[in-house]
């Protein structure tokens, strides 16, 4: 088990690596995974978890702190009640941080524009496009620029100076360190040539200062960070929407009176009244009244669902017109909504395997870039001096040194994967598609075979008894009575078909004893001392009763499932059960085919029945009459053929097969356990959502790859360009000012590309 924390103070992708490595050095910490995308840390411990304060103390010298996660703040990680803060805390703080950044940005932008103007005039003047700066102007600029640069570096650029401090004090360097060194070197050099102008005059061009570089680079980087932070907030708004689904109060009956109480005072067993239009405060079961409830916010299903006594309702859904009373069954961290929030939060903070390379690169990036920058400077001095002279080489060398440090920031690299994953997981949650982690999303986009369960996935899962073939001396009614008595105890969908039939016909249920489920075959029990069996052909084969399956072939080839009722000697009757194909199934399978995905149906049901259903639904391959324990082996054998398999099932008796598949997809709310074990949970159990989830994964992974490509290209091309590698051939050398601009927009463009995915249709 791990704990999730919110991390404050991260400003770049390499921060995540620094925190991870620092935490892992502690013996108590088993593993640590820090995500720059949503600024969380997942930490697991060898024994008792370290307190949040201790953790915070560990990372504090490096400039970070730990806080409890949003879900934990709501009491959803611990066994507390949900205390709804309305809007998540991290967002409030982020907004304050952005406001602060923006006011600094506003102060520095006029300075940057002024510096660019001076710079431009200088260059254009030297090229004789405009009259050169007169000595009065030069003098003015000479005095005003240092003042402006001092403000920019020490006020707006403070985080970068702290980066240098931490580098010197603790030996930890992050992106802030690089920017800090770059801008400080430019500043200090300019200061020195001004202070020792007289004595340096004979060696170097003292006219050329770099105060403008300090100002413009810091302004651009602040601009970039502002844009990045603003878009990053938007990537994570799915959690906020989910948090806002939580009701704040509940109308309960206490001592015979209706009173409104805060949500965290609700206890299990409370009777809660739900008025028209009200939000369901906790999970429960309806005890009185009938109404339709809008569950679209959880399941993505647009039609309100009928609720009557006995049906479950979930916190966060909204009542339509009726009034109902229900009993609170699950509160606080136990509700489905709480599970969903926790899961989305975890998934958004998880790392996709594709990110590993980017992480490795960011981890070693800072020291390597420092070395590259120093080597670049050295190369300019050694190789440049004989050709260009000392003064000019020093000037180019410094330009390159600062340029490399600025352009090399792999911020975009660190944002490429997480931002797309955050958007994807959030988008999924909105559609009722719960994704366990980023790894699942990455695997899902490679799936080429989808294995589905027949009952409940392809068919409605609500079979009906359509025909009785009586092979005994007793009346139909007597047979139904026997069978219904047996089936009454079973949970199989077939059982409810029989039970419902008996209930509608008001056929009496007998007491049974020695009830036993015969896995994958049916069941048996005794009534008045006589043993009965009910199930499929395999069960009858076991009993070694002579039985010609010609009797059923006509029916099974029409897609009906036979339930054979027998004693140990005789067949009493055959009950034919039919389960209609889901409306969406045929269309969804066509869509899967369009995605070049093969669909295999796996079922314990009769071969002919399964074949018929498969043909109707357009399924490519049928594996029928499989025992539950063999489902896993079937999945394995498909995998051994080199396929990547997703398996969709109800998650109850299919758990091992779901676990074996590369991606296990649980259909329907099922149990909490099913949600936690499956890679993907489709809350409304609709096969069309299965198609959506595959499309979503493909879309997100395309976004991730685009982001990674651009981030890599940017760094790969940027460093040699800034270092002046192309200078001897083409005369190319970019000013640190442009390095700053490129660096600001690389992160922004990556985050924007991820945000773009939000608007795309599934
Ligand atoms: P599936 O979920 O694909 O139906 P199961 O292993 O649950 O697979 O069941 C396999 C077969 O066993 C069913 O198709 C049915 O023929 C028979 N069976 C299982 N449970 C019952 C039951 N309660 N009553 C009658 N037949 C049953
Ligand atoms: Mg089943």
């Amino acid at each position: 088990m791990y704990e999730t924390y919110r991390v404050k103070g991260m400003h770049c992708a390499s921060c995540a690596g620094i925190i991870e490595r620092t935490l892992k050095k502690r013996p108590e910490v088993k593993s640590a995974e820090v995500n720059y995308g949503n600024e969380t840390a997942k930490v697991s411990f060898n024994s008792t978890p370290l307190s949040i304060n201790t953790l915070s103390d560990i990372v504090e010298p490096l400039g970070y702190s730990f806080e409890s996660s949003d879900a934990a703040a709501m009491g959803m990680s611990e066994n507390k009640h949900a205390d709804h803060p309305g809007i998540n805390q991290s967002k409030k703080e982020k907004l304050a941080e952005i406001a602060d950044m923006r006011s600094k940005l506003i102060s520095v932008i006029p300075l940057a524009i002024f510096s660019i103007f001076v710079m431009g005039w200088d260059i254009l003047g030297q090229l004789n496009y405009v009259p050169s700066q007169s000595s009065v102007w030069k003098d003015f600029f000479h005095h005003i620029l240092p003042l402006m640069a001092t403000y920019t570096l020490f006020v707006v650029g403070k985080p970068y100076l702290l980066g240098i401090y931490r580098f010197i004090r603790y030996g930890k360097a992050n992106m802030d360190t690089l920017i800090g060194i770059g801008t400080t070197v430019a500043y200090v050099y300019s200061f020195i040539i001004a202070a020792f102008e007289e004595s340096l005059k004979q060696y170097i061009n003292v006219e050329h200062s770099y105060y403008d570089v300090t100002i413009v680079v810091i302004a651009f980087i602040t601009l970039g960070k502002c844009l990045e932070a603003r878009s990053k907030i938007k990537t994570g708004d799915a959690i906020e929407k989910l948090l806002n689904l939580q009701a704040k109060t509940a109308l309960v009956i206490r001592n015979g009176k209706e009173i409104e109480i805060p949500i965290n005072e609700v206890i299990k067993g409370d009777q809660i009244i739900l008025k028209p239009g009200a939000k369901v405060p906790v999970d429960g079961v309806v005890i009185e009244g009938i109404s339709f409830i809008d569950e679209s916010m959880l399941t993505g299903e647009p039609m309100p669902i009928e609720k009557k006594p006995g049906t479950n309702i979930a916190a966060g859904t909204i009542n339509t017109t009726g009034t109902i009373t229900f009993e609170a069954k699950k509160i606080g961290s136990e509700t489905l909504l709480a599970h969903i929030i926790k899961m989305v939060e975890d998934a958004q903070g998880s790392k996709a395997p594709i990110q590993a390379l980017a992480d490795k690169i960011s981890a070693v990036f800072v020291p390597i870039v420092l070395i590259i920058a120093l080597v670049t400077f050295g190369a300019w001095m050694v190789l440049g001096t004989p050709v260009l002279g000392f003064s000019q080489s020093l000037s180019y060398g410094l330009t390159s040194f600062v340029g490399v440090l600025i352009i090399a920031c792999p911020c975009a690299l660190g944002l490429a994967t997480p931002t797309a994953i955050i958007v994807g997981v959030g988008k999924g949650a909105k559609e009722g598609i719960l994704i366990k982690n980023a790894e699942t999303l990455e695997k899902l986009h490679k799936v080429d075979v989808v294995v589905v369960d027949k009952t409940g996935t392809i068919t409605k899962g609500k079979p009906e008894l359509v025909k009785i073939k009586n092979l005994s001396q007793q009346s139909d009614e007597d047979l139904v009575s026997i069978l219904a008595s047996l089936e009454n105890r079973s949970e199989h969908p077939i059982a409810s078909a029989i039970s419902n039939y008996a209930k509608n016909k008001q056929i009496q249920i007998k007491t049974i004893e020695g009830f036993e489920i015969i896995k994958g075959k049916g069941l048996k029990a005794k009534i008045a001392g006589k043993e009965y069996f009910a199930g499929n052909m395999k069960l009858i084969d076991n009993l070694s009763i002579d039985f010609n399956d010609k009797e059923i072939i006509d029916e099974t080839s029409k897609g009906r499932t036979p339930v054979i009722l027998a004693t140990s000697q005789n067949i009493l009757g055959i009950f034919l059960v039919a389960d209609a194909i889901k409306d969406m199934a045929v269309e969804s399978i066509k869509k899967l085919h369009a995605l070049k995905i093969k669909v295999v149906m796996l079922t314990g049901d009769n071969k002919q029945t399964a074949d018929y259903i498969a043909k109707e639904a357009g399924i490519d391959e049928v594996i029928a009459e499989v025992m539950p324990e063999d489902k896993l082996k079937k999945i394995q054998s498909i995998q051994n053929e080199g396929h990547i398999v997703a398996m969709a099932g109800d998650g109850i008796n299919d758990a091992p097969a779901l676990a074996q598949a590369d991606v296990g997809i649980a259909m329907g709310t099922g149990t909490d356990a099913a949600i936690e074990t499956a890679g993907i949970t489709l809350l409304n159990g609709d096969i069309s959502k299965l198609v959506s989830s595959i499309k979503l994964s493909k879309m997100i992974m395309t976004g991730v790859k685009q982001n990674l490509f651009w981030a890599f290209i940017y760094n790969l091309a940027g460093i040699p360009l800034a270092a002046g590698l192309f200078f001897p051939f083409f005369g190319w050398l970019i000013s640190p000012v442009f390095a700053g601009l490129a660096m600001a927009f690389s992160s922004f463009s990556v985050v924007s590309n991820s945000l773009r995915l939000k608007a795309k249709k599934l």
Side-chain angles (χ1 to χ4, degrees):
M1 268 316 283
Y2 52 80
E3 301 280 331
T4 308
Y5 306 94
R6 210 143 55 77
V7 184
K8 286 173 72 180
M10 285 206 279
H11 289 121
C12 62
S14 63
C15 295
I18 293 178
I19 299 173
E20 271 178 18
R21 273 171 274 135
T22 310
L23 288 175
K24 279 186 195 151
K25 278 195 198 129
R26 297 285 299 219
E28 299 92 338
V29 174
K30 195 161 140 207
S31 72
E33 206 174 277
V34 180
N35 188 310
Y36 175 50
N38 67 348
E39 299 177 8
T40 58
K42 280 203 228 169
V43 188
S44 69
F45 300 91
N46 286 317
S47 49
T48 40
L50 291 171
S51 76
I52 200 160
N53 291 335
T54 316
L55 288 169
S56 232
D57 288 344
I58 297 172
V59 293
E60 213 253 80
L62 310 173
Y64 313 109
S65 66
F66 273 40
E67 305 220 329
S68 46
S69 73
D70 283 317
M74 277 187 78
M76 284 173 170
S77 295
E78 298 123 55
N79 241 354
K80 276 195 299 178
H81 296 267
D83 182 11
H84 178 46
I87 174 175
N88 41 339
Q89 201 52 29
S90 60
K91 183 169 175 181
K92 268 190 199 162
E93 283 166 16
K94 268 263 109 79
L95 286 173
E97 213 176 288
I98 291 173
D100 177 53
M101 242 196 272
R102 200 166 53 194
S103 59
K104 283 183 180 155
L105 180 66
I106 289 169
S107 73
V108 81
I109 274 188
L111 308 188
I113 292 173
F114 181 79
S115 309
I116 291 171
F117 165 75
V118 176
M119 227 185 284
W121 186 359
D122 190 29
I123 294 168
L124 294 178
Q126 280 172 27
L127 296 171
N128 284 326
Y129 287 130
V130 293
S132 346
Q133 293 169 8
S134 68
S135 59
V136 182
W137 278 119
K138 270 198 179 149
D139 216 35
F140 173 62
F141 296 148
H142 199 71
H143 287 96
I144 191 93
L145 282 174
L147 291 177
M148 286 167 30
T150 308
Y151 166 78
T152 308
L153 183 61
F154 290 93
V155 179
V156 184
K158 205 170 126 203
Y160 312 119
L161 293 180
L162 285 175
I164 305 183
Y165 166 74
R166 280 184 216 111
F167 179 51
I168 296 167
R169 177 87 170 68
Y170 304 103
K172 306 271 182 195
N174 60 16
M175 237 62 60
D176 290 354
T177 318
L178 295 182
I179 298 165
I181 293 176
T183 50
T184 307
V185 163
Y187 180 87
V188 171
Y189 172 82
S190 311
F191 185 82
I192 290 172
I193 56 169
F196 303 101
E197 197 173 342
E198 286 312 312
S199 41
L200 289 174
K201 214 176 348 195
Q202 44 186 322
Y203 307 110
I204 53 176
N205 177 7
V206 289
E207 299 270 288
H208 198 140
S209 74
Y210 290 89
Y211 288 124
D212 48 3
V213 168
T214 305
I215 298 168
V216 179
V217 165
I218 290 180
F220 277 146
I221 288 171
T222 311
L223 172 70
K225 291 214 162 181
C226 234
L227 292 174
E228 177 194 320
R230 270 194 19 197
S231 335
K232 235 168 92 181
I233 268 197
K234 286 193 210 139
T235 62
D237 61 5
I239 287 268
E240 191 193 339
K241 288 202 180 112
L242 287 168
L243 286 170
N244 282 329
L245 291 179
Q246 177 71 62
K248 291 188 174 88
T249 58
L251 196 60
V252 299
I253 304 176
R254 292 265 169 94
N255 304 323
K257 268 193 235 143
E258 282 182 23
I259 51 165
E260 191 162 334
I261 57 169
I263 184 84
N264 52 5
E265 285 172 18
V266 175
I267 52 170
K268 278 185 211 173
D270 262 339
Q271 295 199 355
I272 300 177
I273 299 164
L274 199 62
K275 295 259 166 82
K279 253 185 207 172
V280 178
V282 295
D283 288 4
V285 175
V286 178
I287 44 184
E288 203 188 308
I290 293 182
S291 184
F292 283 81
I293 288 190
D294 176 6
E295 298 188 334
S296 59
M297 55 298 281
L298 294 188
T299 64
E301 164 67 48
M303 292 292 286
I305 312 288
E306 188 186 7
K307 302 288 173 176
K308 51 188 182 204
T311 44
N312 291 322
I313 57 177
T317 57
I318 291 175
N319 190 15
T320 55
T321 48
T323 297
I324 48 181
T325 308
F326 73 99
E327 188 183 322
K329 291 279 185 198
K330 287 176 177 175
I331 54 176
S333 62
E334 303 159 350
T335 64
L336 176 64
L337 177 63
H339 272 102
I340 294 174
I341 293 174
K342 176 113 177 62
M343 199 161 155
V344 171
E345 192 178 67
D346 281 351
Q348 289 189 329
S350 66
K351 276 188 184 171
I354 197 170
Q355 199 186 334
L357 181 62
D359 275 355
K360 264 188 206 145
I361 292 176
S362 331
V364 292
F365 217 76
V366 176
I368 287 183
V369 166
L370 268 174
I371 293 168
I372 294 178
L374 286 169
V375 169
T376 301
F377 180 74
W380 273 109
M381 294 318 292
V382 174
L383 305 175
T385 310
V387 191
L388 305 163
F390 178 76
S391 176
Q392 192 59 23
S393 296
L394 180 65
S395 161
Y396 284 156
L398 266 175
T399 301
S400 300
F401 177 78
V402 177
V404 167
L405 289 182
I406 303 300
I407 210 162
C409 289
C411 287
L413 210 51
L415 288 168
T417 314
T419 52
I421 298 283
I422 290 168
V423 168
V425 169
K427 197 178 168 81
K430 229 165 96 187
E431 300 275 334
I433 300 167
L434 288 188
I435 299 160
K436 193 177 178 199
N437 53 32
E439 192 180 345
T440 307
L441 204 57
E442 188 174 332
K443 268 193 203 151
L444 189 59
H445 96 288
K446 291 189 205 142
V447 159
D448 61 350
V449 173
V450 168
V451 178
V452 290
D453 207 20
K454 176 178 76 72
T455 320
T457 306
I458 299 300
T459 62
K460 290 188 170 143
K462 295 203 177 78
E464 280 168 19
L465 178 58
V466 289
K467 194 168 176 182
I468 302 171
K469 279 193 170 182
N470 193 336
L471 305 176
S472 73
Q473 313 299 318
Q474 304 174 54
S475 70
D476 282 7
E477 201 163 297
D478 283 343
L479 289 190
V480 173
S481 173
I482 296 170
L483 184 61
S485 309
L486 301 180
E487 297 286 10
N488 217 13
R489 295 274 287 278
S490 162
E491 307 248 311
H492 202 277
I494 290 178
S496 55
I498 312 281
S499 298
N500 287 341
Y501 181 86
K503 220 187 269 170
N504 286 342
K505 297 252 152 152
Q506 294 178 331
I507 294 173
Q508 211 201 331
I509 304 292
K510 299 180 161 76
T511 37
I512 57 167
E513 50 200 39
F515 173 83
E516 224 174 89
I517 285 182
I518 307 164
K519 225 178 8 171
K521 294 175 185 170
L523 40 81
K524 68 171 185 182
K526 278 183 185 158
I527 298 174
K530 195 165 180 192
E531 186 154 53
Y532 292 97
F533 298 85
N536 55 19
M537 277 302 292
K538 278 191 196 151
L539 182 75
I540 303 307
D541 289 346
N542 278 11
L543 292 175
S544 54
I545 305 176
D546 242 9
F547 178 67
N548 193 340
D549 62 0
K550 278 210 183 82
E551 289 278 359
I552 54 170
I553 241 133
D554 265 3
E555 300 291 341
T556 53
S557 58
K558 279 188 247 165
R560 293 169 173 174
T561 303
V563 178
I564 306 162
L565 178 66
T567 62
S568 50
Q569 288 97 32
N570 295 307
I571 308 285
L572 299 178
I574 303 163
F575 295 75
L576 294 146
V577 167
D579 192 1
I581 294 178
K582 277 189 180 176
D583 299 336
M584 294 306 281
V586 180
E587 200 185 319
S588 299
I589 287 162
K590 273 192 198 137
K591 285 185 184 159
L592 287 173
H593 286 158
L595 294 169
K596 300 205 166 53
I597 292 171
K598 184 174 156 186
V599 185
V600 177
M601 188 171 86
L602 197 59
T603 177
D605 206 348
N606 179 290
K607 176 95 171 88
Q608 284 88 29
T609 312
D611 278 342
Y612 173 84
I613 304 268
K615 213 171 133 226
E616 291 288 296
I619 283 166
D620 303 293
E621 195 184 320
V622 179
I623 308 174
E625 295 176 23
V626 263
M627 300 294 285
E629 60 269 26
D630 291 336
K631 288 189 176 175
L632 182 147
K633 285 190 203 129
K634 296 289 177 190
I635 302 274
Q636 263 171 344
S637 74
I638 302 174
Q639 285 171 325
N640 290 343
E641 289 164 21
H643 294 292
I644 313 254
V645 183
M647 155 110 195
D650 51 24
I652 297 162
N653 60 4
D654 307 320
L658 288 184
Q660 174 60 38
D662 296 282
V663 180
I665 302 175
M667 309 283 279
T669 40
T671 55
D672 297 346
I675 294 184
E676 266 143 40
T677 48
I680 306 270
T681 303
L682 304 177
L683 285 177
N684 77 352
D686 188 340
I687 180 164
S688 70
K689 292 286 179 193
L690 194 155
V691 181
S692 306
S693 61
I694 293 177
K695 278 192 180 162
L696 176 72
S697 71
K698 288 189 187 284
M699 200 176 92
I700 296 305
M701 292 317 291
T702 309
V704 165
K705 284 174 192 163
Q706 287 167 345
N707 285 351
L708 283 175
F709 175 79
W710 286 113
F712 269 115
I713 284 288
Y714 158 81
N715 275 309
L716 279 181
I719 294 178
L721 189 60
L725 204 64
F726 304 122
F727 184 80
F729 314 107
F730 313 108
W732 292 351
L733 181 62
I734 69 165
S735 152
V737 168
F738 288 105
L741 190 67
M743 130 104 215
F745 282 99
S746 67
S747 306
F748 178 64
S749 62
V750 158
V751 181
S752 303
N753 189 42
S754 297
L755 273 179
R756 193 180 55 90
L757 300 171
K758 224 157 90 165
K760 275 204 166 180
K761 255 192 72 145
L762 280 183

